[in-house]
Amino acid sequence: MRMIRPAAALVAALTLALAAAACSSSGTSGGSSTGKPQQGGTVTQAWIAATPNFIFPYAPATNTDGYNQNLTEPMWPPLAYDGDGGQSAVNPQESLYSSLTFSNGNKTVTMVLKSWKWSDGAPITSRDFTFLYNLLKANYQNWNLFIPGTFPVDVASVSASDTHTVVLNLTQPTSPDFFAGDVLNNVQLIPQHAWDKESVAGAVGDYDQTTAGAKAVYDFLQKEGSQISTFTTNPLWQVVNGPWKLSTFNSDGTLYGYVPNKSYSGPAKPYLTKVLNQSFTSDTSMLDALRSGSAIQVAPLPLNDVTQAGELKAEGYSTTPVAIPGVAGMEPNFYNASVGAVFRQLYIRQAMEELINRPQIVAKVFNGYADPGNGPVPVRAFPSWASPLEKQGGPYPYSPSAASSLLTSHGWKVVPNGVSTCQSPGSGPTQCGAGIPAGQQLQFQLAYSSGRATTDQTNAAIQSSEEQAGIKLNLKPEPFNTLIGNTGICTAKSHTKDCGWQIVEFGYNPYGLYPADNGNFATGGTSNFGGYSDPQADSLINATLQSSGTQAFYQYEDYVAKQLPWLWLPLRESLEVYKSNLAGFAPTNSFSADLDFETWHYSK
Amino acid sequence: MGAYLIRRAGQAIAVVVGVTVLTFVMIHMEPGSVARSILGIRATSDRIAIFNATYGLNQPLYKQFFAYVSQVLHGNLGTSYYLSQPVSTLFAQRLPRDLFLLGSSTVIALAISLPMGMYQAVRRGGIMDNLLSAVSFTLYCMPAFFFAVLLVAVFAVQTHIFLPEAPSGTSIGSMLTQPRALVLPIATLTLIQVAGFSRYMRSSVIDTLAQDYLRVARAKGLPERLVLLRHVLRNSLLPVVTIVGLSLPGLVTGAIVVEDVFNYQGMGLLFFDAATHHDFPILLGSTLIVGVATVLGNLAADIAYGILDPRVRYVRG
């Protein structure tokens, strides 16, 4: 896949979200070239604050730069290639395997690799897969994209039945959709015949076949992978299997470029002779460059600057909307000392959700460029996985009257534009709920990530609409890194010192190609900050990871949508601008991350 | 002079050590988890543990401090948490760029503002003095961000005369090959500095012109040109030297606004990003560098006093 694994740092997710493009209902504006493809030409692609610093595809646990995935995937694409034209799906033509078979109750996976070659002429074989598996098995704790419980620790054994066939025996059944869309699309094949060595001068061997050897090789490759000054000269990084080779990389990562890998075996041979990636310090400087007639062909256009689209059109650019594969929401702290008991009541969460006018936010704040946020799966990025309930608007449409009635029926004195209070404490059906004392106020602090005007506007709108039922939100914007640093994971068992927060909104959490829970709502999930825990939800989540098809997925999705572990919010899209004579760029899918430039070309 | 320099060097070391200790303690008093702040939403407990162990954040604060001092004494400023690069490498990339940008703009600003201030003082009250004062005040009160955006709008977006972004090269040599890209960032910084320097120079020259020794010089028949160059200029430079000395640390702290507008990877943005990411090694390294620059700037100004005004002597006591 051409997307950073969901476990990567948020900056990576933001990068890809900005860069990802989707064929959405908003449609592409401006002309898109459709003439005969022209060989040659250079494309310069702009990014905001994107400065990769590591070239070995498996970065250390301490490295949080998600742009490293962007740097490496054009050279070493993942086994499963995400994105197929305008479709958010695995691309079978460009994926490295020709077949993927599941047997033994989905506990055995047989993968047949295509007979493709590395850029030095060596064949890609099953040994390359066992090489990367051996490295990761010995070093998964020092791999920044490792997700606990998943590859490689859920693999009991790997064997190569022939030069192109790999058999993986898993410790538990897996969903074929999950395995292809969330595992193989994060695993980049690497050349054993060139990289299985422990030092620069050392010979290539089979060092990976012992744990000590695998650690030594991994350490060596990680050390070499951090040497920015040798990114374009180190012989290790000259051996690629993707459509591109790195040709330039300046010392601070603000400008780097690729040329075609002339030995690329895949079907989509590059048309362009060069692709440059230029980082800008801010969207202001990038926008100035676009408006000044610079040599930038592709760039993200923040929604705040959507009014610039017309002016850019005059400069020869077209725009296309971007659907972000992620889920946005406000996370209540179920174990906050003062308001945790309030949030543990579903009817409270339901009332709060019914007071969020999501359609209006989409229309007014995002100018229509947003997913409605009807539940845990975005309907615009994942039309095939969004359930009918979500597509119909979700379980809790905007209804201030229903919200007020709900609170009143549970013993609250509702004070519109004031602060509602609990008048009937207790756990009966018409009482406020267990642990909620008389006089408890519906007043919460919402801490959110600052720096984005649309987020400020969204939260101001929510603050205003919640007041209709006497729910007072005190807004507390903070820089993202401050916010995340101050927000502890709070559960019934581990109540850390950083659990003073009440509601937090980080922006959104990204998904892979398969939009399962991904640590957001499962008990103990890595992103389950508020400590939401529901055995039924856990069971349904597990089902999505072990079975295929939409039935189990919809069950999980609808249940979680109704249970509101988060308060669902619209998820912004962004816009991509591109030169109108650049073909093959649009329509785009949510997972190409603007890295599929082998399909881009100028037209005659 | 030698004893003075030794004494000042001692003071400088004390200041730098003090600033380092203070900064170290203050940034470690920030609430929240540094590891989570850096690693993001999906940081697992294992990754957090590895992060803390890698950077010694699992050690008591005093041990962290002594470890830091030890590595600094060995020429190692540590590794950036966020950028995963040695701090010294990051400084080596950005510091020369800032020194070039800010240094050249300061030199140009001085070259403009010294004669301009002197001219205004000599012709004070005249049309040109009033006109130049109006220009200076306008430039002085204009926020750098607004001024930069204005220049970009006029000279890059509208007329396409200059480029809106600074050179993309990382070395000064490669930057010099793109002069069109250098004009606007240097012009922004220059014009803003001209406003301040020229006002100081004008005031200083006016004070000097009222001194008795000028009357003596003229009475002795010294041509007016020499009166101005030998006596007025030299004596009027003292306040400007102070301002220039104090601005030296600015050369290494960067110009964040200009860097942001002109897509210029400099120390200012590096420091700002480090502050928002809790990137302690960069914050500490920057503070150390700025502390040294401040001390050196003041020392240079003191030495310049002695050169400009022989009455100033650096003696013991």
Side-chain angles (χ1 to χ4, degrees), chain B residues 23 36 49 70 145 183 205 235 240 246 268-269 271 276 303:
Chain B
T23 309
R36 184 168 285 285
S70 172
F145 180 79
V183 173
V205 172
N235 287 291
V240 179
L246 288 174
L269 280 175
F271 188 83
T276 57
I303 293 170

Side-chain angles (χ1 to χ4, degrees), chain B residues 24 49 52 54 64 80 89 98-99 119 143 189 215 218 223 238 259 310:
Chain B
F24 189 91
N52 287 335
T54 300
Q64 291 182 44
S80 162
T89 301
D98 271 344
L99 288 173
Y119 175 82
L189 291 169
R215 212 168 295 134
R218 289 189 181 109
L238 287 175
E259 290 173 20

